[in-house]
Structure formats: C-alpha cells, structure tokens
Amino acid sequence: MAVVPPCNFIVLHYTYFIVTSLICSAIFWGASTRSHSVAYVDALFMCVSAITGAGLNSVCRTDS
C-alpha cells in the first residue's frame, strides 16, 4: 500500500522547492556550451543555492 503524504502547506512548499530546483538546473545545464561547460552537479548546486536564498555561489574550475 502506497503512503501518500497529506496535502498541506509544508508538503507543497518542499515539493515546489525540489521540482523547481530540478527543472531550473536541467535548463541551466542544458544551456551550457562546450567552451563554458558546467557539470550537472554544479548546475544543481547553483540553482538550489539561488532558490533557497543561500546565495549564488560561482563554480571555480581550474584547467590543467
């Protein structure tokens, strides 16, 4: 038997943050170019940081 969480404010709030972060990170990752490539994990981190108000953190990458 599947357990469905109740439809209250906190469940809707968490669902909004998770779904929006995943969609925006997929768009951000897909928009990267070959010369400015971004790993999906970095795109997800930046989008979650932006949506939660933790601050938009830049990706620091060193090429060897």
Side-chain angles (χ1 to χ4, degrees):
M1 181 173 163
V3 177
V4 178
C7 186
N8 57 18
F9 174 76
I10 197 71
V11 171
L12 294 176
H13 190 73
Y14 288 160
T15 304
Y16 168 76
F17 271 76
I18 292 169
V19 170
T20 304
S21 296
L22 291 174
I23 291 171
C24 290
S25 64
I27 292 170
F28 183 75
W29 176 69
S32 66
T33 60
R34 182 175 292 251
S35 61
H36 295 101
S37 65
V38 177
Y40 182 74
V41 172
D42 294 331
L44 181 62
F45 179 75
M46 289 181 67
C47 289
V48 170
S49 296
I51 198 168
T52 59
L56 183 62
N57 299 310
S58 61
V59 177
C60 181
R61 194 174 88 164
T62 58
D63 293 327
S64 49

